[in-house]
Each structure stands twice: as structure tokens, then as C-alpha cells.
Amino acid sequence: MTLELPGRRVAPTLEAVAAEAGVSRSTVSRVVNGSSHVSPDVVTAVNAAIDRLNYIPNRAARSLANRQTMAIALVVPEDTQRFFGDPFFSEIMQGITSVLEDSDYVLNLQLARPDAPSEKTIRYLLGGNVDGAIVVSHHSGDDFFTTLDATIPVVFGGRPFDPEKHRNNYVDVDNAAGAALGTKHLLSLGRRRIATIAGPANMQAAIDRHDGWLATVREAGQDDSLVEYGDFTMAGGATAMRALLDRAPDLDAVFVASDLMATGAVAVLRARGKRVPEDVAVVGFDDSSAATSGEIALTTVHQPSREMGTEMARMLLALLRGERPDPERVMPTRLVIRDSA
Amino acid sequence: MTLELPGRRVAPTLEAVAAEAGVSRSTVSRVVNGSSHVSPDVVTAVNAAIDRLNYIPNRAARSLANRQTMAIALVVPEDTQRFFGDPFFSEIMQGITSVLEDSDYVLNLQLARPDAPSEKTIRYLLGGNVDGAIVVSHHSGDDFFTTLDATIPVVFGGRPFDPEKHRNNYVDVDNAAGAALGTKHLLSLGRRRIATIAGPANMQAAIDRHDGWLATVREAGQDDSLVEYGDFTMAGGATAMRALLDRAPDLDAVFVASDLMATGAVAVLRARGKRVPEDVAVVGFDDSSAATSGEIALTTVHQPSREMGTEMARMLLALLRGERPDPERVMPTRLVIRDSA
DNA sequence: CTGAAAGCGCTTACAG
DNA sequence: CTGAAAGCGCTTACAG
């Protein structure tokens, strides 16, 4: 029995181009890589041969020889569902790809396990598949990522945990200040019982936003116990809102650590007969598309997600060039007032 | 001026492991690759050395030697926004990753230009970066992708154009039958003026769904001219709905080629004072999360998106093993009746 | 079962 | 400006 496999075309090599053009492999390599020390007519001849043969350099061989892969990993320790569910990631990724488009690098998305990276992810990142990595949505609990840059340059989206242990490169906003901004707005509206729906306690941004709310509420001499935690999803925001209402039916405002969670919270408030913002004012965080796609346009703390993406990419590219960019890039937030508070 | 670069750790090589374990490189390679012809104690010794040195094989070297990259590309010719905006892609990707997780392959997402692949994408796919590719959301107008499998195995999500030119592997549903299913439901409801919002005419699935609607409407002796085209986004559905209402204010039903477009259409209908389904019945297509996240739960034609993803992955894996799976895998659709029709 | 050797397709000093 | 040669870190027949 003969198993006939579809005959795949065999890619031409540098060697073949050299033969076709009647020069050495070194020379072909030089013109492929745009070296300046090649005579014009040789360049022409080689390029002609390349076109004729439809030559494309083999990346494995190239990266083995020069120890560059020209690939960057975007590592997101979240499952597919949450990755696609939160517009924040979409915007970050748009920012990143917009700068990588103009570079020679390709982006490889790696969805990792939220708890700790799998063996496969580790081998991928350490096995010479990429020249650098951007890690977004980092959770505490393992420090593989924070120590990864002993091997390849890494930029974090969001200040990583344990900054004293190791100084990582990151771009972030001042989450505490942003949360304070949102909470103060609630205070200025005369609200006196302001709850918060915080993000998961194993994420630095969630902790910082919680802290910003906490400090503001304390400073105002208000109850600082109205906290519930969500997982940055709509469903998580809804569950937290229910718990909050059960504990404090008289709350009159809630600062929510993400727009997606705020959307879930608003739905619950309405279902329980609360008017937003009359009975309960709601402030979100992100100013992503989720802020304006729900039942009511959310007043929210804006963070420049797309620009954060471009900054991450730029920072990594600088590191890859051997430069030493400022390792900490903190971008501004601002309050966007809409209908929910 | 000395530019001090952060000292990156140098990865240990096979050679180092061999020295550490006191064996030859061939032997280390054998245990790394799980060859059976190695004595137990040597295996133990080599593994110990691997652990001690924290050895991870260099993928470039490996793939240069054995001509395998152990990577698969998921090519989506859509911009980031649309990719993230449509839950359909999320589900497809979940299906794909679920089967790849249990394999040694990693998935590399490649968002390509919708019109024609960029030079960068072409070089990526042809430059030996991946062993195979899954192409989803293929548009007509270039046949790079349909001829790509002369070089590497390719599986399409959705029947590609020009099937007579070249027989590609694909996973799809019977879009025409599905559309007929949805349109017939509208007929059974007594609707007599059934419009359609079709997808872009450069996508086979859109054409097939349009054809299914067309055949059904003609068969019933109804007006077959009520067609507007959308781009599979909410905004596109809204625009198309407006045009339809302007042309035929008396239409009493609309079959929409995707849930996302249907959501946009429903919003326009309501804004124009039409009750759904009383005045205008709406049937969508996909049965994605968009069907149940809008103002009204959509009656829709269900396609098993996640399973289609798993089938694509399985088919590609089979091709990669040198097998010859059935190149055409057509999965069933079914009508899901909710509130919009 | 194990090792020496060739080779995968490039890049890059080193000569000239 | 150009080429011969070594080397990147693996795998894989080929001997033994």
C-alpha cells in the first residue's frame, strides 16, 4: 500500500540563490540583510535570482546563526474567554500591533494559565522562540515572569508584584490615584455610603485601586468595610453587587474596579429596583467600550489602554536594541463623567 | 563609554548536558526525544543532568535539524477590532486551543490584512515558522491562502472560494441550508415580506447564507429583492437595517447573516418604533454569545463554532501526521427559537 | 544500546 | 567588494 502524501513544494535555499546568481552564499546573505558593502550590479543580480526562485530565508537557520528570532511574545495569563471578553485586552493588543507593524518583529500571542505558567509556556519562553516578551495581566503566586527577564527582555503591562525583589520594566497608570479620583467624584455628589467592587486580590492593579478607594473613604470619615471582590468579569461584578446589597441595602454609591464588572453591577442594581444614579451612583474603571455598551453610559476612570500598548511595545523594542529606557512608565488617568454618577 | 547591558543568562546546550552526564550528544538527544533505545540508568543520569542544568532544547536548532517547528498558525484576515468584537472567533479559538493543548504544538495567531496578506504575513507563513496553518474568515480576492498548502498543510474554517481550482481542506456548516432553516421559520410565522441582511459578498459563507434565504423566499413566491449587505459587525447590521426600512417600511421579517449584525438591526428597528418580533421578526445566525447579550434574546441559526474549531485543529493535526483525513467536514446547524421570531 | 560524523540553512569574522 | 570556512545547537542515519 503506497501512502501518497501531497507533494509539498521544497523551499529554495540561500545556496540555490547563490548558484543562480553566480555568487557566493556570503554575498547573497549580505544583500538579503541589506549590507552596504555590496556592489550595485551584484545586488541587482542577486535580487533578480531571489525573485526568480521566490526565495524566502529560513527563519530557523537564520535565528540559529544570529541568535535572533524576530518574534515577541504577548503573554496573557487568562483563559480564552476572559481574554476575548474584556475589551481592555483588545485595546492593549491594538496598541502593541500598531507599533510592531512598522518593525521586523512578529507578535506571538500566548494565553497562559492564570495560576502558574504551564510547562509548555515555560519551554516556549525559554526555548529561544522569542526575543522578548510583554506580560499583561500578571497575577501573583509565581515569579516565573518576574524572573524571566534574566533570560529575555520583558515588559509588564501593569506593575508586577514584589518590585523590591527585582526591578522589572513596566507601563502602568497610577491605579490608586485613579481610584481616588473616581471615589472623590462620588463624595462630591454627596454620597455617604460608598462601597467598592475590587478586582482579584492577586493582581497588583486590583490592590492599588482598592487602596485608592480605601484611603479616600477613610479620609472622608466614612465606613471602609463595604468591599467585595470580583474577577474582572461581568458575572463577577454582578455577584459582588448582590453581596454588597445584602450586606448594606442602604449603600448609595459604588466604585467598581473595571467597566465590565460595573456593567454587571448596574444590571443587578436595576433588578433590585435601584435607580442608577439616583439611588446608587456607579463609577467604573477603564473607559473601555464596555463603558458605553451597557444599559447606561458609565461614568468611569479613563486609562489610555491603547497607548499603554504602544508604550509597552516601544519599551520592549528599545530593550531589544540594547538601550536602557526608563523602566517605569506611568501614564495618566482621568475621570470621564457620563450617566451613572 | 561603556554601555552596560543587563547580563542575560546563557542557556545551556545539549553539549553541556552531555558533558555533565558523561555521555554523547546523540544519547542526550535520544532521551530528550523519548527514544526507546536507551538503557534505563543512562536515561536517569541524563535526566538528572538536564534538571541540574535546567536544560531546554533550542527550538531553532531543533527545527533546522528535523524540519519541524511544532508551531501552527491561526490566520485571521481581520483587523484586531473585528477579531475581538465577534464572539465567533473567540469560540473557534477556544476549540482550537483545547485540542492543541494536548499536543506538542503551539498556536501562533496571525491577524492579517483583510484584503490581501502583507509581505510580512507571507514571509512568516512561507519562511518555515510554522508546520501548518488554519485560515479562518477567508475573503476572496487573493488566492495566496488557497495555494498556500502547496507548501504547508492548511485547513480552512469555512469553505474557501474557487473550490474547483484547488481542493482545500475545510470545516464548515451548510450555510445555505442553515439560512433556509431560518427563513422558513419566518415563513411559518406567517411573514410575507422577508428581507435579509447579508454578509460581505467576498466571503463564501455570506454568499451561501444569502443564497439560502433567496431560494426559500423565491420558492414561497415572495419578493426577493430586499437585500442589504453588512460587514458582520453590529454597526454594519444597523446601517443595513436602516437602508432596508427606507426601501421597504412594510417589511415584517428579516433574516440576518450573523448575530452581531442582528443585534445592530434590532436596535435600529426599536429606534424606529418597530416592535420585535410583533412588527418585525428577526432571525440571526451563529448562536454566539451575542445572541443573548442584546436587548432581546435572538432566535437564531446555531452553528457549532467551538466544535468547528476542534475539528479544524484535529484535521490539521491529522495532515501533519501524514494522514489523509476527509478534506470536507460539514457540520450541522439547527434553529434555536428565542424571543425575536 | 551508544558514539562519531554529517548535515539542516543561515551568518559572520577573517582574508584577500 | 567578495569568498572560503567555521559555527549556531540540534537530529539522524551509519557503524559498532
Side-chain angles (χ1 to χ4, degrees):
Chain A
M1 173 200 128
T2 15
L3 184 66
E4 236 176 67
L5 293 178
R8 305 279 169 208
R9 191 185 295 148
V10 182
T13 66
L14 224 198
E15 181 92 54
V17 176
E20 174 83 8
V23 296
S24 74
R25 289 167 14 199
S26 322
T27 299
V28 177
S29 178
R30 284 188 194 100
V31 351
V32 166
N33 293 298
S35 161
S36 49
H37 308 287
V38 186
S39 70
D41 18 323
V42 172
V43 172
T44 312
V46 171
N47 278 327
I50 286 174
D51 283 349
R52 240 171 298 144
L53 265 41
N54 238 300
Y55 170 68
I56 291 179
N58 177 300
R59 189 111 69 151
R62 176 178 271 189
S63 76
L64 180 58
N66 71 5
R67 333 189 112 254
Q68 286 205 294
T69 64
M70 299 315 278
I72 286 172
L74 171 57
V75 183
V76 186
E78 301 285 354
D79 60 43
T80 314
Q81 210 136 16
R82 205 171 107 49
F83 178 69
F84 278 91
D86 197 330
F88 172 71
F89 294 117
S90 165
E91 288 166 28
I92 289 281
M93 193 157 150
Q94 282 178 51
I96 295 174
T97 53
S98 75
V99 357
L100 256 35
E101 260 171 19
D102 301 324
S103 78
D104 288 328
Y105 289 92
V106 298
L107 187 69
N108 285 166
L109 176 65
Q110 281 292 110
L111 296 183
R113 292 223 319 254
D115 44 345
S118 66
E119 186 62 22
K120 204 166 159 180
T121 300
I122 293 177
R123 298 177 81 83
Y124 183 78
L125 262 10
L126 258 25
N129 290 281
V130 293
D131 294 336
I134 295 177
V135 179
V136 161
S137 195
H138 180 236
H139 300 59
S140 71
D142 78 284
D143 24 48
F144 171 71
F145 292 122
T146 49
T147 57
L148 175 59
D149 77 347
T151 310
I152 55 173
V154 177
V155 169
F156 283 85
R159 182 163 62 96
F161 273 82
D162 300 323
E164 61 298 332
K165 255 167 87 178
H166 183 75
R167 201 164 178 232
N168 285 285
N169 307 287
Y170 69 82
V171 4
D172 204 350
V173 291
D174 187 336
N175 286 292
L181 206 61
T183 310
K184 275 174 191 151
H185 175 65
L186 259 10
L187 281 173
S188 78
L189 258 28
R191 305 295 162 144
R192 293 296 165 249
R193 216 152 149 55
I194 306 175
T196 193
I197 296 178
N202 64 350
M203 294 188 66
Q204 190 61 54
I207 295 173
D208 292 344
R209 288 173 202 173
H210 171 267
D211 288 351
W213 165 85
L214 190 67
T216 308
V217 147
R218 279 190 182 161
E219 201 174 306
Q222 296 192 7
D223 184 358
D224 64 1
S225 71
L226 298 178
V227 188
E228 286 290 335
Y229 297 87
D231 58 359
F232 280 145
T233 68
M234 234 167 88
T239 305
M241 191 68 244
R242 270 184 222 106
L244 241 20
L245 283 175
D246 289 347
R247 281 172 51 190
D250 60 331
L251 59 80
D252 59 9
V254 48
F255 166 70
V256 191
S258 90
D259 289 340
L260 215 49
M261 289 201 295
T263 306
V266 166
V268 166
L269 284 167
R270 293 198 161 182
R272 296 248 178 139
K274 301 283 191 183
R275 291 167 306 161
V276 177
E278 294 83 351
D279 300 326
V280 179
V282 176
V283 169
F285 201 108
D286 279 346
D287 193 25
S288 71
S289 63
T292 49
S293 67
E295 310 172 46
I296 180 172
L298 290 177
T299 292
T300 188
V301 179
H302 176 271
Q303 65 171 333
S305 314
R306 199 178 195 289
E307 291 71 27
M308 291 169 77
T310 68
E311 286 305 306
M312 293 175 213
R314 273 199 251 276
M315 192 183 278
L316 186 58
L317 254 24
L319 289 165
L320 255 14
R321 281 191 301 265
E323 298 169 13
R324 287 287 198 95
D326 187 341
E328 292 162 15
R329 178 88 167 84
V330 178
M331 307 186 70
T333 58
R334 65 168 199 275
L335 188 69
V336 177
I337 296 179
R338 295 204 182 90
D339 304 333
S340 67
Chain B
M1 174 196 129
T2 15
L3 186 65
E4 235 175 68
L5 294 179
R8 305 280 167 207
R9 193 185 293 147
V10 182
T13 67
L14 224 198
E15 181 93 54
V17 175
E20 174 82 9
V23 297
S24 74
R25 287 165 18 199
S26 323
T27 300
V28 177
S29 177
R30 286 188 192 101
V31 352
V32 166
N33 292 299
S35 161
S36 48
H37 308 288
V38 186
S39 69
D41 17 323
V42 172
V43 172
T44 312
V46 170
N47 278 328
I50 287 174
D51 283 349
R52 239 171 298 145
L53 265 41
N54 237 301
Y55 170 69
I56 292 178
N58 176 300
R59 189 112 70 152
R62 175 179 270 187
S63 77
L64 181 58
N66 72 3
R67 336 191 111 252
Q68 285 205 297
T69 64
M70 300 314 278
I72 287 173
L74 171 59
V75 184
V76 186
E78 301 284 355
D79 60 43
T80 314
Q81 210 135 17
R82 205 169 107 49
F83 177 68
F84 277 91
D86 198 331
F88 172 71
F89 294 117
S90 164
E91 288 166 29
I92 289 280
M93 193 157 150
Q94 282 178 52
I96 295 174
T97 52
S98 75
V99 356
L100 256 35
E101 259 170 20
D102 301 325
S103 78
D104 289 327
Y105 288 92
V106 299
L107 187 69
N108 285 167
L109 175 66
Q110 281 291 111
L111 296 183
R113 293 224 317 257
D115 43 345
S118 66
E119 186 61 24
K120 204 165 156 180
T121 300
I122 294 177
R123 299 178 79 83
Y124 183 78
L125 261 11
L126 258 25
N129 291 281
V130 293
D131 294 335
I134 295 177
V135 179
V136 161
S137 195
H138 180 235
H139 301 61
S140 71
D142 77 285
D143 26 45
F144 171 70
F145 293 121
T146 49
T147 57
L148 174 59
D149 78 348
T151 309
I152 53 174
V154 177
V155 170
F156 283 84
R159 182 163 62 96
F161 274 80
D162 301 324
E164 62 296 331
K165 253 167 88 178
H166 183 75
R167 201 164 179 233
N168 286 286
N169 306 287
Y170 70 82
V171 175
D172 205 352
V173 292
D174 187 336
N175 286 293
L181 206 60
T183 310
K184 274 174 194 153
H185 175 65
L186 259 10
L187 281 173
S188 78
L189 258 27
R191 305 296 163 142
R192 291 296 165 250
R193 210 148 155 61
I194 305 175
T196 192
I197 297 178
N202 64 351
M203 295 188 66
Q204 190 62 53
I207 295 174
D208 292 345
R209 289 174 200 172
H210 171 267
D211 287 351
W213 165 86
L214 189 68
T216 308
V217 148
R218 279 189 182 160
E219 200 174 304
Q222 296 192 6
D223 185 358
D224 63 2
S225 71
L226 298 179
V227 188
E228 287 291 334
Y229 297 87
D231 58 359
F232 280 144
T233 68
M234 235 167 88
T239 305
M241 191 68 246
R242 269 182 222 109
L244 241 20
L245 282 175
D246 289 346
R247 282 172 52 191
D250 61 329
L251 59 81
D252 59 8
V254 48
F255 165 70
V256 190
S258 88
D259 288 341
L260 215 50
M261 290 201 294
T263 306
V266 166
V268 166
L269 285 167
R270 292 199 160 181
R272 298 246 179 140
K274 302 282 192 183
R275 290 168 305 162
V276 177
E278 294 82 353
D279 300 327
V280 179
V282 176
V283 169
F285 201 108
D286 278 346
D287 192 24
S288 71
S289 63
T292 49
S293 67
E295 312 173 45
I296 181 173
L298 291 175
T299 291
T300 188
V301 179
H302 176 271
Q303 66 172 330
S305 313
R306 199 179 195 288
E307 290 70 28
M308 291 168 78
T310 68
E311 285 305 306
M312 293 175 211
R314 274 199 250 277
M315 191 183 277
L316 186 57
L317 254 24
L319 289 164
L320 256 13
R321 281 190 301 266
E323 298 169 12
R324 287 289 198 94
D326 187 340
E328 291 162 15
R329 177 87 169 85
V330 178
M331 308 186 69
T333 58
R334 65 169 200 277
L335 187 68
V336 176
I337 298 180
R338 295 205 183 89
D339 304 333
S340 68

